[in-house]
């Protein structure tokens, strides 16, 4: 009987390791371009690896049982009548509880870091969403632009508003998203870290051309940003 | 022709159409008399359905028994019909087995239509660029796919519970048989409304119907809301019936902890149906009133609040996902012990876990709104409560594994489907964790990750278990066996098709594929993976085709089934196949656990074998012993 346990445990470890390797080595997510992205990706990888381990555990038990304990032809007897085991049942109640509560704690810490206003001055951009376009208003500089341009490594506070229905601001490289809700203002904090061109996509179904509701986003160095500001204000 | 005209369904449809026309005409007359333009789509169709639906119900005969009682005629006892007398399936019949089959058949039809809608939509998204659908049509097909599938799941759940629960607890029928027929027949106009929604302009809100978008959507939206109403009404009435049946109609000796797990899950489901359905009713009522009368519930300019809808909607729709999956998980708990020849491991904890899930499900709705702008601190408690579901679901999964351990496992078709269901549901649960943890949800919310996640939970918690249930109970229901070879082919195609369709969607979501889009930017590089998804979706469709062929061919020509082909111990298997009109001539005497496989001398129940019509002789033992 012991040989079954050894086999199953060994297979589970191998399976969990292979899946963890897969999640770590295969590029599953697009490039990171914001401070928030790094933390979120680590959190996601931890969850994937943990999920992979649990998946390996259950699937190994399942497939192994089907093979090792299959009914032989002509055998109409029943199996051993085990009806339960209080200790085992307690263990598999408590361990998942501990695991998910630790994950929630970890997630809560990451969230707190993401919400905390950074020291120093934030660049404020008022994002106006409408069917089916984006307008970016720079109240500190007094102009509005159809594209979102931000200096690299500068904390940005996006103040999201909508003129008609619900939309949602999402740049995959920044990871985080937040809805633009009519009648309310919602906030999203981003610190872009990589110079480049991206795209904001509306992530909340907003009608006919929802799929096409995109706008260019670019992250530039500080000097280029100042120059752009100067041009815009002219 | 005479038989055709006597069918309740046909009479109902004719009366319903006539009623709708009258209602519409009246409203138009009143509108013109008041000096408005006669045609206002929302008001006119609303009035039409308000007259049409009662007219339809009267035509079907859903009121006849009650009406007879009002007139003091007394109620005639139905019965004496034959199982294969097909006409009874097209009219109001109070027998729970007939109603169970009606629900299940309707569910399969709706699943087929909703599946075809999405197969068309998937052709559109198989490559970047707008292929052949207008964005409008895409949105409508996608939205209708969602809402029709979920409606079909509710119908399927009611079907399984209706057919099985009275048999499993040793009752003659449901507690309220006429109410039961009524609950089924109000879902039929819902199906028609949903079918009409596409020609009526469709709607572009997804199944969730968030305002303000839904307050501006075309007429199809309103038909969808009315259909939602009817199905919700049916669901509440069904819940009342299930609850009363399970609490009051159990055979002597059937203590709560001797009930099969499926009955436990039905009980938890009934609780959810009764307690939560009205929230979504209110939410959609408010949308309807805003559309028809211009009230401002969700219009900030009139002091409305857009997020209020989402709270009310998810207060129902999260618990609703457990209405969808709990009975399916119950089915798995029935099948695994039978095909492992071992008692269900940890029966009591598994029984209670369904209630754990039901109660936990009541306090997590905010996890659908992490990006919607609820109070920032509120996201933390919702994250914690959401995580708790791991405990009761873990209990179920580990119990199934422990039941199989050292069992004598045979891989008949029902067991194969149950095993796929476990694997798929497990992935659904694990991929739900990043949705429940706030920071990762801010990333994956409203992407194909979510689409993949909830299809895993719905296929793992309903579709695969429902297939398992059909392969398992079909011999009981029809008296014939389903073809094994076709069954295994169906299983193989569907399992492979499922994983190849849905695993890539996780990657798509992480890499920028938003949900509910008719087209995507070629620069994202998502084309090839989307092609894989679309091709595999057609493999699932092919497997369903095999399934339908098998159903029809086997019902018509299949080998005769013995009373208890799987050597199960629950009560329904101790009756003939199909069971007699009123199940048990005398109430069975329940003596022990339904899962006492291998326990010397263990007996679940003694069923007195008085012969009903068509009683099968020589089944594998009416008194089950180990
Ligand atoms: C062949 C089988 C199926 C395929 C290929 C399929 C595919 C899809 C796809 C690709 C979407 C996302 C559409 C979009 O966001 O643009 C979707 C949405 C959805 N599906 Fe399915 N699906 C299938 C079966 C099912 C089943 C069986 C159910 C329920 C039991 C279901 C329930 C839903 C729901 C609720 C939505 C959400 C609609 C919305 O966003 O409002 N699907 N399906
Ligand atoms: Cu949008
Ligand atoms: Cu939920």
């Amino acid at each position: 009987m012991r040989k079954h346990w050894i086999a199953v445990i060994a297979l589970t470890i191998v399976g969990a390791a292979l899946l963890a390797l897969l999640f770590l080595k295969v590029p599953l997510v697009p490039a990171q371009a914001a401070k928030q992205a790094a933390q979120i990706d680590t959190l996601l990888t931890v969850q994937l690896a943990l999920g992979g381990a649990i998946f390996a555990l259950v699937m190994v038990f399942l497939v192994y049982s089907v093979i090792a304990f299959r009914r032989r032809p002509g055998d109409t007897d029943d199996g051993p009548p085990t009806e339960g085991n209080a200790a085992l049942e307690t263990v598999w109640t408590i361990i998942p509880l501990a695991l998910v509560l630790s994950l929630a704690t970890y997630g809560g810490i990451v969230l707190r870091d993401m919400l905390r206003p950074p020291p120093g001055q934030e660049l404020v951009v008022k994002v106006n969403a409408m069917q089916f376009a984006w307008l970016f208003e720079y109240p500190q500089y007094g102009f509005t632009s159809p594209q979102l341009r931000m200096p690299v490594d500068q904390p940005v506070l996006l103040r999201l508003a909508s003129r008609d229905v619900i939309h949602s601001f999402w740049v995959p490289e920044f990871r985080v998203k937040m809805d633009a809700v009519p009648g309310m203002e919602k906030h999203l904090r981003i610190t872009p870290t990589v110079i480049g061109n991206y795209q904001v996509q509306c992530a909340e179904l907003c009608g006919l051309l929802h799929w096409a509701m995109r706008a260019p986003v670019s992250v530039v160095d500080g000097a280029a940003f100042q120059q752009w500001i100067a041009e815009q204000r002219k | 022709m005479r038989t055709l005209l006597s069918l309740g369904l046909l009479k109902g449809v004719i009366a319903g159409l006539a009623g709708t026309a009258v209602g519409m005409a009246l409203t138009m007359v009143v509108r013109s008399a008041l000096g408005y333009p006669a045609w206002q789509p929302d008001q006119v169709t609303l009035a039409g359905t308000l007259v049409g639906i009662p007219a339809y119900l009267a035509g079907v005969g859903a009121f006849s028994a009650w009406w007879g009682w009002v007139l003091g005629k007394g109620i005639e006892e139905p019965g004496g019909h034959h199982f294969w007398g097909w006409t009874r399936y097209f009219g109001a019949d109070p027998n729970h087995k007939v109603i169970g089959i009606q629900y299940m058949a309707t569910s399969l039809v709706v699943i087929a239509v909703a599946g075809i809608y999405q197969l068309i939509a998937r052709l559109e998204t198989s490559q970047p660029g707008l292929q052949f659908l207008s964005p409008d049509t895409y949105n409508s097909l996608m939205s209708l796919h969602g809402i029709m599938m979920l409606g079909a799941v509710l119908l399927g759940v009611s079907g399984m519970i209706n057919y099985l629960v009275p048999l499993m607890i040793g009752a003659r029928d449901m507690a309220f048989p006429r109410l039961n027929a009524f609950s089924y027949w109000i879902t039929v106009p819902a199906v028609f409304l949903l079918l009409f929604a596409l020609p009526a302009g469709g709607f572009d809100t997804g199944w969730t119907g968030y305002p303000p978008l839904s307050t501006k959507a075309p007429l199809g939206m309103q038909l969808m809301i009315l259909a939602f109403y009817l199905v919700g009404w049916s669901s509440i009435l069904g819940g009342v019936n299930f609850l009363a049946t399970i609490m009051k109609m159990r055979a002597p000796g059937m203590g709560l902890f001797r009930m099969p797990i499926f009955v436990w899950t039905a009980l938890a489901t009934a609780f959810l149906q009764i307690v939560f359905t009205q929230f979504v009713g209110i939410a959609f009522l408010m949308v309807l009133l805003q559309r028809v009368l211009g009230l401002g519930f969700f219009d900030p300019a009139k002091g409305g609040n857009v997020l209020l809808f989402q709270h009310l909607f998810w207060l129902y729709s999260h618990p609703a996902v457990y209405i969808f999956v709990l009975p399916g998980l119950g089915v798995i708990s029935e099948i695994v012990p039978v095909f492992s020849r071992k008692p269900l491991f940890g029966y009591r904890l598994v029984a209670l876990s369904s209630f754990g899930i039901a109660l936990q499900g009541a306090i997590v709705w905010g996890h659908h709104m992490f990006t919607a702008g609820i109070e920032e601190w509120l996201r933390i408690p919702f994250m914690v409560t959401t995580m708790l579901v791991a405990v009761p679901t873990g209990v179920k999964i580990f119990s199934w594994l422990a039941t199989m351990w050292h069992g004598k496992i045979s891989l008949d078709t029902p067991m194969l489907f149950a095993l796929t269901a476990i694997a798929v549901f497990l992935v659904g649960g694990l991929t739900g964790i990043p949705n429940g943890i706030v920071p990762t949800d801010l990333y994956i919310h409203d992407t194909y990750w979510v689409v993949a996640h909830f299809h895993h939970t719905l296929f793992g918690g309903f579709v695969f278990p429902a297939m398992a249930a059909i392969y398992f109970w079909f011999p009981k229901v029809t008296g014939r066996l389903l073809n094994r070879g076709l069954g295994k082919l169906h299983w193989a195609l569907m399992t492979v098709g499922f994983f190849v369709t849905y695993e890539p969607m996780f990657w798509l979501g992480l890499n920028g594929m938003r949900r509910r889009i008719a087209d995507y930017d070629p620069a994202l590089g998502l084309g090839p993976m989307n092609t894989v998804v679309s091709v595999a979706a057609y493999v699932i469709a092919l497997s369903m085709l095999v399934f339908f062929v098998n159903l029809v061919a086997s019902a018509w020509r299949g080998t005769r089934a013995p009373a208890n082909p799987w050597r199960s111990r629950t009560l329904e298997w101790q009756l003939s196949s199909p069971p007699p009109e009123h199940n048990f001539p005398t109430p069975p005497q329940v003596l022990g656990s339904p899962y006492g496989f291998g326990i010397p001398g263990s007996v679940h129940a003694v069923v007195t074998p008085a012969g009903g019509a068509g009683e099968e002789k020589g089944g594998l033992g009416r008194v089950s012993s180990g």
Side-chain angles (χ1 to χ4, degrees):
Chain A
M1 291 305 103
R2 169 157 291 166
K3 76 167 200 251
H4 293 309
W5 282 103
I6 296 174
V8 162
I9 291 170
L11 285 168
T12 303
I13 293 173
V14 173
L18 283 178
L19 283 172
L21 209 64
L22 175 86
F23 296 137
L24 284 172
K25 291 293 169 208
V26 178
L28 289 176
V29 296
Q32 298 173 351
K35 209 177 115 227
Q36 289 74 9
Q39 276 176 309
I40 288 182
D41 286 357
T42 317
L43 182 59
L44 182 66
T45 311
V46 169
Q47 294 176 54
L48 287 177
L50 187 74
I54 296 171
F55 180 74
L57 177 81
V58 174
M59 289 317 287
V60 164
F61 264 93
L62 194 133
V63 175
Y64 187 89
S65 301
V66 166
I67 295 169
F69 308 127
R70 69 184 178 282
R71 189 169 67 95
R72 314 288 146 170
D75 179 358
T76 52
D77 281 352
D78 288 340
T82 7
E83 289 195 280
N85 178 329
L88 194 58
E89 289 168 48
T90 317
V91 168
W92 73 43
T93 309
I94 296 205
I95 290 187
L97 183 66
L99 280 179
V100 291
L101 287 183
S102 335
L103 268 184
T105 312
Y106 178 17
I109 293 170
V110 173
L111 183 66
R112 186 198 58 190
D113 289 355
M114 284 171 33
L115 291 179
R116 189 185 299 151
Q121 171 116 70
E122 285 176 304
L123 170 68
V124 177
V125 182
K126 182 146 190 270
V127 180
N128 289 302
M130 71 212 71
Q131 284 172 325
F132 301 92
W134 300 94
L135 272 185
F136 304 96
E137 194 182 321
Y138 289 76
Q140 288 149 323
Y141 302 101
F143 68 87
T144 299
S145 155
Q147 63 158 301
L148 175 61
R149 193 170 280 224
M150 298 174 287
V152 69
D153 293 327
Q154 159 72 55
V156 182
L157 173 67
L158 300 175
R159 290 168 34 201
L160 302 160
S162 165
R163 295 203 186 148
D164 36 48
V165 300
I166 306 172
H167 304 273
S168 191
F169 178 97
W170 186 41
V171 178
E173 288 82 358
F174 300 162
R175 304 292 187 267
V176 286
K177 70 170 71 66
M178 178 56 81
D179 288 2
V181 184
M184 302 177 191
E185 185 179 279
K186 300 294 170 191
H187 292 174
L188 183 63
R189 288 202 154 82
I190 290 169
T191 308
T193 50
V194 180
I195 291 177
N197 292 317
Y198 311 98
Q199 215 175 42
V200 52
Q201 327 186 3
C202 175
E204 177 68 49
L205 179 55
C206 55
L208 188 63
L209 296 180
H210 161 61
W211 55 280
M213 187 169 156
R214 300 185 284 241
V217 174
S218 56
V219 177
V220 295
D221 66 32
F225 183 71
Q226 289 308 330
Q227 198 192 341
W228 183 70
I229 296 278
E231 281 166 21
Q232 294 294 314
R233 297 170 87 172
K234 261 199 253 132
Chain B
M1 196 64 204
R2 282 281 285 280
T3 7
L4 212 60
L5 283 179
S6 74
L7 291 183
L9 178 60
L10 204 71
K11 286 193 274 187
V13 169
I14 294 170
L17 288 176
T20 309
V22 170
M24 290 172 75
L26 271 179
T27 324
M28 286 165 73
V29 168
V30 172
R31 278 185 63 93
S32 355
L34 293 176
Y36 296 107
W39 179 245
Q40 203 277 7
D42 282 42
Q43 290 182 2
V44 174
T45 45
L46 179 63
T49 31
L50 288 184
V51 182
I53 288 168
Y56 150 87
L57 285 170
V60 163
F63 297 132
S64 351
W66 292 322
W67 188 237
W69 177 76
V70 169
L71 297 181
K73 282 197 196 141
I75 297 174
E76 69 172 300
E77 266 294 315
H81 298 282
H82 194 276
F83 170 80
W84 288 109
W86 62 278
T87 46
R88 69 185 302 198
Y89 294 89
F90 291 89
D93 188 301
N95 188 301
H96 76 97
K97 295 188 288 300
V98 172
I99 296 173
I101 294 169
Q102 287 171 329
Y103 267 120
M104 206 66 200
T106 316
S107 170
L108 289 175
V109 170
V110 178
I111 286 179
V113 177
I116 290 170
Y117 284 179
Q118 190 59 43
L119 289 170
I120 299 172
R122 252 337 292 181
L123 278 185
E124 178 58 54
T125 38
S126 58
Q127 277 170 26
L130 283 178
Q131 262 67 251
F132 65 102
L133 288 179
S134 70
D136 211 11
T137 319
Y138 180 88
N139 285 349
S140 296
L141 287 176
M142 172 277 294
S143 305
L144 279 165
H145 162 75
I147 193 70
M148 290 178 85
M149 280 293 183
L150 297 180
V153 173
L154 278 181
L155 296 176
V157 162
S158 286
M160 294 195 288
I161 296 179
N162 254 299
Y163 195 93
L164 294 174
V165 162
L167 287 168
M168 282 180 160
I169 62 172
R172 292 184 81 223
D173 207 310
M174 294 284 266
F176 310 116
R178 284 165 205 89
L179 187 67
N180 201 18
F182 183 81
S183 317
Y184 167 73
W185 283 101
I186 51 177
T187 65
V188 177
V191 175
F192 282 112
L193 285 169
L194 288 172
L195 290 175
F196 284 140
L198 199 56
F203 57 99
D204 55 2
T205 65
W207 78 279
T208 48
Y210 281 5
L213 192 58
S214 57
T215 62
K216 305 170 184 174
L219 183 60
M221 186 81 233
Q222 178 154 319
L223 302 188
M224 177 279 217
I225 292 175
L226 292 169
F228 211 122
Y229 246 88
L230 291 171
V231 175
W233 190 14
S234 161
S235 190
I236 295 175
L237 295 179
V240 170
N241 223 333
F242 305 150
L243 189 68
T245 307
I246 297 170
M247 295 321 285
K248 287 289 173 203
M249 312 261 299
R250 298 195 307 275
M254 177 73 82
L256 285 178
F257 283 106
R258 283 182 183 166
M259 299 193 308
I261 293 295
F262 181 79
V263 181
W264 274 98
T265 58
L267 190 60
T269 305
F271 162 78
L272 292 172
Q273 288 175 307
I274 296 172
V275 175
F276 292 104
T277 311
Q278 44 274 28
F279 291 109
V280 78
I282 289 291
F284 275 121
L285 182 63
M286 289 158 99
V287 173
L288 198 70
L289 289 176
Q290 183 161 341
R291 287 178 65 98
V292 177
L293 300 175
L295 299 185
F297 298 112
F298 308 118
D299 181 355
K302 294 182 182 164
N305 183 316
V306 173
L307 291 186
L308 174 63
F309 176 89
Q310 297 181 24
H311 283 292
L312 290 171
F313 180 86
W314 289 112
L315 201 50
Y316 164 74
S317 293
H318 184 84
V321 304
Y322 295 123
I323 300 178
F324 303 154
V325 305
L326 279 175
L329 302 182
V331 167
I332 301 177
S333 297
E334 295 304 320
I335 288 178
V336 167
V338 172
F339 292 94
S340 306
R341 312 307 304 163
K342 273 184 66 197
L344 183 70
F345 194 95
Y347 168 88
R348 269 174 191 258
L349 207 56
V350 176
L352 294 175
S353 70
S354 298
F355 273 87
I357 293 181
L359 293 175
Q360 179 271 349
I363 49 170
V364 302
W365 76 92
H367 64 210
H368 296 274
M369 301 169 67
F370 286 155
T371 70
I374 51 173
E375 282 72 6
E376 282 175 350
W377 64 270
L378 248 183
R379 299 191 282 191
I380 302 278
F382 275 125
M383 166 163 73
V384 174
T385 53
T386 299
M387 287 297 113
L388 297 181
V389 76
V391 174
T393 33
V395 163
K396 285 182 188 287
I397 291 181
F398 293 130
S399 295
W400 297 327
L401 293 182
T403 306
M404 290 167 62
W405 191 248
H406 285 297
K408 301 198 169 188
I409 300 169
S410 46
L411 291 180
D412 286 297
T413 327
M415 184 64 167
L416 286 174
F417 274 101
L419 294 178
T420 303
I422 297 175
V424 170
F425 192 71
L426 174 69
V427 177
L430 294 172
T431 55
I433 297 178
N435 284 316
I437 299 284
V438 182
T440 36
D441 185 57
L442 299 186
Y443 175 14
I444 59 188
H445 180 75
D446 268 335
T447 69
Y448 261 61
W449 175 288
V450 175
V451 177
H453 155 70
F454 69 70
H455 281 91
H456 276 80
T457 59
L458 285 168
F459 270 85
F462 176 79
V463 178
F464 283 108
M467 295 302 144
I470 291 176
Y471 282 96
F472 190 61
W473 279 291
F474 187 87
K476 178 54 59 190
V477 174
T478 62
R480 290 175 188 275
L481 294 167
L482 278 167
N483 181 293
R484 251 177 192 237
L486 287 179
K488 294 200 171 169
L489 179 66
H490 171 201
W491 170 78
L493 285 175
M494 196 160 173
T495 302
V496 173
F498 177 85
F499 284 112
V500 182
T501 306
Y502 290 103
E503 297 334 298
M505 285 192 193
F506 290 116
W507 181 88
L508 284 173
L510 291 176
N511 285 279
M513 179 100 179
R514 300 161 285 154
R515 70 188 279 199
R516 298 168 166 175
I517 47 173
D519 190 17
Y520 42 95
D521 190 354
L524 292 169
L526 304 175
M529 202 63 114
N530 268 308
T531 312
V532 172
V533 167
S534 295
V535 171
Y538 279 81
V539 177
I540 302 182
L542 181 66
S543 79
M544 288 302 283
L545 211 62
V546 174
F547 170 63
F548 284 122
V549 168
N550 196 357
L551 275 190
V552 175
S554 303
W556 185 37
R557 276 279 155 93
T559 344
R560 294 259 168 213
N564 192 356
W566 316 114
R567 297 188 295 134
S568 169
R569 293 168 49 102
T570 41
L571 280 171
E572 76 276 23
W573 297 105
Q574 318 316 323
L575 296 169
S576 61
S577 304
E581 179 74 20
H582 291 300
N583 304 347
F584 304 92
T586 49
Q589 184 66 41
V590 180
L591 301 172
S593 155
Y595 306 113
F597 297 102
I599 301 172
S602 155
V603 171
H604 176 42
V606 179
V607 177
T608 323
E615 181 96 40
E616 196 78 35
K617 299 280 178 265
L620 282 168
R622 294 224 160 65
V623 177
S624 58
S625 57

